């Protein structure tokens, strides 16, 4: 499958935005645990970390695509 550069950038950007929104939502849940002075479940912290890593990877990928002179990308 081949995608044009702008289409691929839009896809990466929308995925990054989704991940950032999930981090915000999970952060709200985390704050609720902290307000209740309760220890948050490990899976909640793991999911936040996972989405943060994903955002970093997507930012790197987006910058690579922008710096590249390729008109289309194979995936």
């Amino acid at each position: 499958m081949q995608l044009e550069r702008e289409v691929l950038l839009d896809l990466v950007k929308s995925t990054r935005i989704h991940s950032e929104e999930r981090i915000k939502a999970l952060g709200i849940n985390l704050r609720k645990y902290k307000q209740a002075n309760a220890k948050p479940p490990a899976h909640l912290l793991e999911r936040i970390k996972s989405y943060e890593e994903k955002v970093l990877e997507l930012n790197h990928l987006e910058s690579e695509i922008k710096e590249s002179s390729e008109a289309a990308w194979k995936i």
Side-chain angles (χ1 to χ4, degrees):
M1 174 184 228
Q2 213 170 358
L3 294 175
E4 290 183 25
R5 181 178 179 202
E6 294 304 315
V7 172
L8 186 57
L9 278 172
D10 286 343
L11 182 62
V12 170
K13 184 177 179 181
S14 66
T15 304
R16 180 178 42 82
I17 289 170
H18 171 75
S19 294
E20 290 169 346
E21 290 173 352
R22 291 300 307 143
I23 291 170
K24 288 178 188 175
L26 292 169
I28 291 169
N29 289 341
L30 184 61
R31 272 185 249 124
K32 289 178 182 177
Y33 280 100
K34 288 182 178 181
Q35 286 174 349
N37 290 328
K39 184 176 179 181
H43 72 276
L44 179 61
L45 299 173
E46 290 171 8
R47 287 177 61 196
I48 291 172
K49 183 179 177 183
S50 171
Y51 277 112
E52 288 173 343
E53 290 171 356
K54 190 180 294 187
V55 167
L56 290 175
E57 289 178 29
L58 290 167
N59 285 337
H60 179 71
L61 180 59
E62 188 175 9
S63 66
E64 276 187 30
I65 294 168
K66 285 179 180 178
E67 293 172 7
S68 174
S69 60
E70 298 284 328
W73 291 70
K74 279 189 176 182
I75 55 171

